Amino acid sequence: MIHTAKSADGTPIAFERRGAGPVVVVVAGAGNDRHGDEPLVAELAAEFSVVTYDRRGRGDSGDTAPYAVEREIEDLAAVVTALGEPAIVHGISSGGALALLAAAAGVPMARLSVFEPPYRGETEEVPEGYADEMRELVAADRWDDAVALFMMSAVGSPVEAVAEAKASPMWPELRSFVPTLVYDAFVMKDSKVPGELASIATPVLVVNSNGSTDWLKAAALVTAKVVPGARQVGLDGEFHSVPPERLAPELSAFYRDPR
């Protein structure tokens, strides 16, 4: 069943809930709507009440202009408020970065886990002006170019990987998310770990895949250092992914930890 929360600016935010137990709200990353993390959701729903929602501009949610990261923080706050009970939050990739910003802004969370928020170090910078270039490509209806720019500049994919993606069945789906790829670009800003994360009082777990690139593993370590008391764990997996049957138990142990 689809429910709707109304954000502070009146934008309707669609969400679904399944399972029973403590509430876990999942914040999707770039190129995903509320259905994108289904395997992990299914694992968690065996012992939690899992809420997935469409970030603004995606799926069944609205999209009120002008965009601002603050509006997305308000969207998550609206979903948490609509649930009427304490919520754990799990953010994935840039959705993890958004969840961290929301925690720093005071959105109430019982606990927060994030998977590989894609922050960069000094040697792995996203090109200056990336977000503005993405916005210009979208405005010019150059959506294929926008996806290619996202893959090369934000993900770090080589040109060959972009060519392979264009020839694959995944390309039309990626292309459909182009307008909100701009939103994720603004969530990430300069892709450095924001200093305001040092104000987070919520217990935080930062997870990375041991099979990811060095900069993603380094990002997890730096994030955990900036957030007071945060824990960090690396799990066996592939690039930017860990099998849900391996990730879910780690998250569950953190969510149920009384400390």
Side-chain angles (χ1 to χ4, degrees):
M1 178 179 178
I2 301 176
H3 305 275
T4 303
K6 184 171 286 190
S7 195
D9 69 349
T11 303
I13 304 298
F15 68 93
E16 290 185 274
R17 183 171 181 170
R18 75 187 80 175
V23 177
V24 178
V25 178
V26 177
V27 186
N32 277 313
D33 57 17
R34 70 180 189 272
H35 303 296
D37 303 295
E38 182 61 33
L40 177 61
V41 170
E43 289 284 339
L44 290 174
E47 56 178 317
F48 297 97
S49 179
V50 185
V51 175
T52 55
Y53 75 99
D54 286 327
R55 289 171 55 188
R56 70 171 51 206
R58 312 181 193 196
D60 293 305
S61 288
D63 192 12
T64 305
Y67 176 80
V69 176
E70 290 76 13
R71 303 293 82 76
E72 285 224 68
I73 292 173
E74 292 166 355
D75 297 346
L76 177 55
V79 172
V80 170
T81 299
L83 296 171
E85 55 189 294
I88 298 161
V89 175
H90 178 62
I92 300 165
S93 192
S94 55
L98 175 61
L100 287 163
L101 290 172
V107 175
M109 304 177 190
R111 285 182 171 249
L112 169 62
S113 59
V114 293
F115 180 76
E116 293 193 348
Y119 296 119
R120 306 284 186 122
E122 293 299 326
T123 60
E124 286 283 353
E125 294 186 340
V126 170
E128 185 176 352
Y130 163 68
D132 289 330
E133 186 176 355
M134 283 289 292
R135 183 163 54 187
E136 291 168 5
L137 289 173
V138 173
D141 290 327
R142 294 171 56 189
W143 286 25
D144 288 317
D145 292 337
V147 176
L149 180 64
F150 165 73
M151 290 185 66
M152 290 187 292
S153 296
V155 180
S157 302
V159 174
E160 297 78 14
V162 175
E164 289 177 8
K166 282 185 176 181
S168 75
M170 67 174 274
W171 190 259
E173 183 176 5
L174 261 178
R175 197 177 183 280
S176 72
F177 284 101
V178 160
T180 58
L181 293 182
V182 180
Y183 300 171
D184 283 283
F186 282 98
V187 167
M188 296 308 302
K189 298 180 182 176
D190 62 0
S191 290
K192 301 294 188 290
V193 178
E196 58 260 43
L197 302 193
S199 68
I200 294 176
T202 302
V204 173
L205 173 68
V206 184
V207 183
N208 67 271
S209 168
N210 292 331
S212 279
T213 51
D214 288 343
W215 70 266
L216 278 171
K217 289 184 278 189
L221 291 170
V222 174
T223 302
K225 286 181 180 178
V226 172
V227 179
R231 303 184 218 171
Q232 182 272 330
V233 62
L235 301 176
D236 290 341
E238 298 180 353
F239 170 71
H240 211 32
S241 69
V242 167
E245 62 272 15
R246 188 171 297 144
L247 177 57
E250 194 73 34
L251 298 180
S252 175
F254 171 67
Y255 297 159
R256 295 191 179 280
D257 190 334
R259 290 178 294 171

